[in-house]
Amino acid sequence: MSDRSLRGMRLGAQSMESEAGVEPAARQRVEYRTEEGETVFVVFAAEAEIPAIWHTKTGKEAKLVHGEAKAEEPGNEKPVRTHWDMLLERRSEEELEKTLADRLQQLRTARGDAV
């Protein structure tokens, strides 16, 4: 048994499926250009929405060369609600002032600093 080695496959390293009969999805190659003249090509699916601006690997903004840039519709986004906004939906400022004063008094009493 020691002179023979067991043969097998590594798990996850190789696929048993072949590429025969598989057609890749339709694609389109889109060109973007920065203000400095740097050209960037990006491949998208054929049915994908093409963004008007693409950020390059160097961090520059590149604009779409061919095609229409869609105007963004303002006002579709909800305004950001902060913690303070949500608190004011539940309590008035007078209630919050009173609650703060009560809590501070309790804290001072617990420490022995009551005045």
Side-chain angles (χ1 to χ4, degrees), residues 13-85:
Q14 297 173 344
S15 175
M16 298 297 285
E17 295 182 26
S18 68
E19 299 281 330
V22 175
E23 291 186 32
R27 298 177 186 180
Q28 57 181 329
R29 188 174 183 215
V30 180
E31 181 180 1
Y32 289 92
R33 190 168 294 134
T34 64
E35 291 181 5
E36 292 82 22
E38 179 184 351
T39 303
V40 178
F41 292 98
V42 183
V43 178
F44 291 99
E47 63 272 359
E49 287 187 31
I50 307 301
I53 295 176
W54 186 262
H55 294 280
T56 65
K57 291 181 181 178
T58 57
K60 300 175 186 171
E61 281 190 356
K63 295 183 180 177
L64 185 62
V65 174
H66 301 292
E68 298 178 12
K70 294 182 182 178
E72 293 184 19
E73 298 176 13
N76 285 349
E77 298 179 14
K78 291 183 177 180
V80 177
R81 286 178 39 197
T82 63
H83 289 85
W84 180 249
D85 295 332

Side-chain angles (χ1 to χ4, degrees), residues 1-19:
M1 188 72 129
S2 63
D3 57 339
R4 293 188 306 173
S5 63
L6 296 173
R7 303 267 173 165
M9 285 198 60
R10 294 171 286 194
L11 291 176
Q14 297 173 344
S15 175
M16 298 297 285
E17 295 182 26
S18 68
E19 299 281 330

